[in-house]
Amino acid sequence: MTDYFLGLDSSTQSLTGVIIDFDGRKIVISKSLPFMEYFPEYETDHGVIKQEDEKVVHSYPLMWVEALDTIFELFKEENVDLSSIKAITGSGQQHGTVYLNDKFEEQLKNLNPDKGLKQQLSDVFSRETAPIWMDSSTNKQCQEIREALGGKKKTIELTGSDTFERFSGPQIRKFFQENPEAYNNTSIIHLVSSFMASILLGANAPIDHGDGAGMNLMDIRKKNWSDKALNITAPGLKGKLPNLVESFKIIGKISPYFVNKYGFNSDTIILPWSGDNPNSLIGVGLIEKGKIAISLGTSNTYFGFMDKPRTDPRGESHVFGSPTGDYMSLICFKNGALTSEQVKNEFKLSWKDFSDILEKTPPGNEGKIMLPYYFPEIVPQVLNPKVYRFGFDENDKNGNVRAIIESQLISMRLHSQWTGEEPEVIYATGGASKDKAILQTIADIYQVNVIQFETSASAALGAALRAAKTYYDDTGKNLSWSEIVQDYTVAKGKMISPRKEYKQIYDDMVLLYEAYENYILRSGKNPEEHRQKFIDIYFKNK
Ligand code: XUL
């Protein structure tokens, strides 16, 4: 008997499914359905609804549901033996909320396999669209909730994050304020993750602690709903939310709809889905202390395993539950690849030229410091974008190339200090992680080994591995997390070691960079003298 496990990822732009053959230690199939390509009739722009107000970003939950039927049809066409799948779970884009009326559960229980999900679930929504994580229209509600919870510090202490526009609580409050009647007609509010899990389960599924932590509604330490946060957010909210559970709990068996329609085994177990970041944590093998991941994509993210719920006193970052039952940090920097690309384009460089310059210029950049807010920044919060340069100007090609990379990475080191983690190895993922000169700069700045990690479909893979872990725990095989992830999460690239001779210069440069942040963003003292000293020590007569 083969043990297959399925992980699904309902992300902003696509639905992805990865099936693993656990004993064979291989991926049986990995399929991704971009919404724009497969479901053009919804007329989305990469999965989101085009709206005039660019702060308002929604999507269609019915489209996500339709994609579920389509992906199973594709698996069938490829002759994948769906009856060998022992357990299923998934990953959802975080924070998004789905609003359902009182028909939802009844209709889920009575799904007819001769018809499609779209046809049978089109009238279960009390709000046709779902606000997603890209929505930033709830500034007012963020302020109201933060204030009512006793200020920023108390909000962070209670929920693990300050209030953020994209978080579910502020979004729910906005819906209640702007559309009280539709709010009253809402029987249950799901996250993307728990909504999709409900379809597979044929009943309302709970929310797991990983994704629940992205709502400003869960007590991050007790891992239950905070009555205080619920009451402040909207009336009667407790009665409209599913329960919270551990990510690894079995929540039931697959709905007969999928058994009859696609040939799943009726014993296939369903786990709660989680957010994409908690799933990716598993998908890149971060199951214990000592490793962190840096994803260099459109935006740059830093995430890592945490054994205790430490919170960021500045309120810029987040703490979510990890699927292992522990915690994880997540820090999101907006000025990532697009910012480097802007510098590359300003000097009409190719990526190869850019990388060559990085390689041949000196670490520490001769004391040239940049605060690179080409776009509004999340960490540290900068609402009005502006680029600040100290010791050079916008015409200095080499200086700008090195400055943009060093500033992003030094800022990351500085703003991840609150996690208390001192990684032994950093997994670098995302487009820019293919560049050796960038990997070397990460290694030098952090003074730890860095390895490039291919992560196509890491969230879906993480989900499939979570499914395997729970199944084997349940059947008594009791495999440890490291036994589960080994082989699936092996970094393929070459390990890059830090150059010890640059330790001191970067330790000093982090302090100098922080002084410049304080100067520009927090009205601190001008650190020019400090910068001159830095140049004297490391660059005079060299
Ligand atoms: C995390 C966040 C994003 C979404 C993207 O806080 O908003 O990473 O989860 O899918």
Side-chain angles (χ1 to χ4, degrees):
M1 271 286 276
T2 340
D3 292 347
Y4 282 6
F5 299 96
L6 166 63
L8 292 155
D9 176 26
S10 183
S11 78
T12 315
Q13 304 198 30
S14 55
L15 178 72
T16 301
V18 169
I19 298 177
I20 58 171
D21 169 354
F22 193 78
D23 294 320
R25 296 269 149 186
K26 61 173 194 232
I27 290 177
V28 177
I29 191 168
S30 175
K31 254 220 141 39
S32 198
L33 277 54
F35 296 129
M36 248 174 119
E37 189 184 317
Y38 279 81
F39 309 100
E41 64 279 14
Y42 290 90
E43 297 183 352
T44 66
D45 179 6
H46 296 90
V48 310
I49 302 169
K50 291 168 235 156
Q51 308 222 29
E52 233 159 70
D53 182 350
E54 58 182 28
K55 287 205 171 102
V56 177
V57 185
H58 288 213
S59 185
Y60 294 110
L62 196 61
M63 177 177 74
W64 308 333
V65 166
E66 195 180 352
L68 212 49
D69 263 336
T70 310
I71 204 161
F72 292 148
E73 271 156 28
L74 287 173
F75 285 156
K76 258 183 87 173
E77 276 169 27
E78 304 248 356
N79 294 317
V80 180
D81 176 16
L82 298 178
S83 72
S84 290
I85 295 176
K86 299 289 188 286
I88 307 176
T89 185
S91 148
Q93 48 174 320
Q94 293 200 254
H95 318 297
T97 36
V98 183
Y99 300 77
L100 298 136
N101 60 32
D102 57 4
K103 293 190 192 150
F104 180 53
E105 200 160 36
E106 198 49 35
Q107 268 163 241
L108 277 186
K109 289 205 171 96
N110 296 308
L111 288 174
N112 176 351
D114 296 330
K115 296 181 188 163
L117 290 172
K118 181 184 181 188
Q119 186 187 356
Q120 300 179 80
L121 294 175
S122 58
D123 61 349
V124 299
F125 300 97
S126 57
R127 187 185 198 183
E128 195 197 348
T129 63
I132 63 162
W133 67 281
M134 293 162 89
D135 189 289
S136 57
S137 65
T138 62
N139 191 271
K140 169 176 171 277
Q141 290 77 16
C142 283
Q143 287 182 30
E144 289 166 354
I145 295 172
R146 183 189 299 121
E147 205 166 295
L149 285 178
K152 182 160 153 172
K153 195 159 172 259
K154 292 221 164 98
T155 306
I156 300 168
E157 275 304 300
L158 179 68
T159 73
S161 297
D162 190 9
T163 50
F164 279 86
E165 280 77 358
R166 67 189 192 285
F167 274 41
S168 322
Q171 290 289 342
I172 293 170
R173 180 166 177 79
K174 182 178 171 216
F175 183 54
F176 151 70
Q177 286 178 337
E178 294 185 353
N179 214 332
E181 205 177 312
Y183 175 80
N184 282 336
N185 291 334
T186 301
S187 296
I188 188 150
I189 302 173
H190 274 295
L191 291 181
V192 178
S193 56
S194 61
F195 171 65
M196 296 297 280
S198 304
I199 312 286
L200 287 179
L201 188 66
N204 279 309
I207 289 177
D208 88 308
H209 298 147
D211 222 8
M215 302 176 78
N216 286 136
L217 295 174
M218 187 181 94
D219 181 322
I220 192 71
R221 289 180 174 79
K222 296 192 187 127
K223 295 185 174 174
N224 56 19
W225 294 126
S226 154
D227 284 331
K228 191 167 183 199
L230 294 183
N231 293 338
I232 284 164
T233 299
L237 185 51
K238 193 159 202 170
K240 296 183 195 286
L241 288 175
N243 294 332
L244 284 163
V245 285
E246 293 285 6
S247 321
F248 44 78
K249 198 176 149 48
I250 295 174
I251 55 173
K253 301 236 164 106
I254 192 166
S255 153
Y257 171 85
F258 298 99
V259 175
N260 297 326
K261 196 171 178 112
Y262 300 109
F264 281 92
N265 190 312
S266 56
D267 281 333
T268 306
I269 55 172
I270 306 290
L271 276 66
W273 287 32
S274 189
D276 50 1
N277 293 296
N279 277 291
S280 287
L281 190 80
I282 303 298
V284 298
L286 301 187
I287 44 139
E288 61 204 353
K289 277 167 75 82
K291 294 176 198 160
I292 60 115
I294 289 179
S295 163
L296 303 171
T298 312
S299 56
N300 290 340
T301 55
Y302 170 109
F303 60 95
F305 177 95
M306 287 202 299
D307 52 356
K308 290 193 191 73
R310 243 171 268 115
T311 51
D312 172 10
R314 280 195 174 138
E316 299 164 337
S317 323
H318 315 299
V319 182
F320 296 147
S322 139
T324 55
D326 304 278
Y327 290 91
M328 70 174 289
S329 56
L330 179 80
I331 316 174
C332 191
F333 303 83
K334 227 181 197 160
N335 284 279
L338 291 181
T339 308
S340 314
E341 192 168 339
Q342 198 148 321
V343 174
K344 172 186 95 70
N345 294 344
E346 274 162 16
F347 292 102
K348 302 194 171 46
L349 302 170
S350 66
W351 280 120
K352 163 94 178 54
D353 302 332
F354 187 93
S355 181
D356 287 347
I357 292 174
L358 191 60
E359 211 170 308
K360 71 173 198 231
T361 45
N365 209 11
E366 300 169 307
K368 295 168 189 169
I369 300 278
M370 178 193 271
L371 300 186
Y373 313 130
Y374 282 75
F375 302 100
E377 185 50 81
I378 302 173
V379 180
Q381 191 184 56
V382 177
L383 296 175
N384 300 313
K386 183 168 172 188
V387 182
Y388 301 86
R389 294 180 184 82
F390 303 94
F392 69 124
D393 65 22
E394 68 273 21
N395 301 313
D396 174 350
K397 181 170 73 184
N398 290 0
N400 276 279
V401 167
R402 178 157 277 279
I404 187 63
I405 296 299
E406 282 189 342
S407 63
Q408 288 174 1
L409 295 170
I410 285 178
S411 174
M412 203 177 249
R413 180 174 145 182
L414 177 64
H415 291 279
S416 57
Q417 276 168 356
W418 66 269
T419 64
E421 300 296 341
E422 288 184 0
E424 282 149 24
V425 61
I426 293 176
Y427 288 162
T429 73
S433 71
K434 294 194 174 70
D435 189 309
K436 289 273 163 339
I438 292 182
L439 293 184
Q440 185 64 60
T441 313
I442 303 175
D444 292 344
I445 288 178
Y446 275 87
Q447 286 292 306
V448 293
N449 290 323
V450 175
I451 189 154
Q452 198 226 334
F453 202 97
E454 282 296 340
T455 53
S456 61
S458 67
L461 174 63
L465 293 170
R466 287 175 50 220
K469 171 77 171 128
T470 290
Y471 176 77
Y472 290 127
D473 282 351
D474 186 54
T475 51
K477 206 168 171 182
N478 288 323
L479 297 177
S480 67
W481 272 109
S482 62
E483 286 168 312
I484 292 286
V485 303
Q486 73 181 15
D487 297 340
Y488 286 104
T489 57
V490 189
K492 301 263 178 351
K494 197 171 148 268
M495 184 84 86
I496 310 265
S497 305
R499 295 176 293 182
K500 298 275 178 271
E501 61 271 34
Y502 298 120
K503 178 181 183 319
Q504 194 60 48
I505 192 169
Y506 279 126
D507 282 353
D508 286 353
M509 202 173 179
V510 170
L511 297 175
L512 182 60
Y513 187 89
E514 186 176 28
Y516 273 100
E517 265 192 10
N518 286 336
Y519 171 47
I520 294 298
L521 304 176
R522 298 168 206 112
S523 316
K525 192 173 150 256
N526 185 342
E528 179 57 22
E529 224 175 281
H530 183 167
R531 199 178 69 81
Q532 286 304 334
K533 231 187 250 162
F534 179 84
I535 296 173
D536 285 348
I537 297 173
Y538 297 106
F539 296 102
K540 271 277 158 71
N541 308 322
K542 285 199 178 165

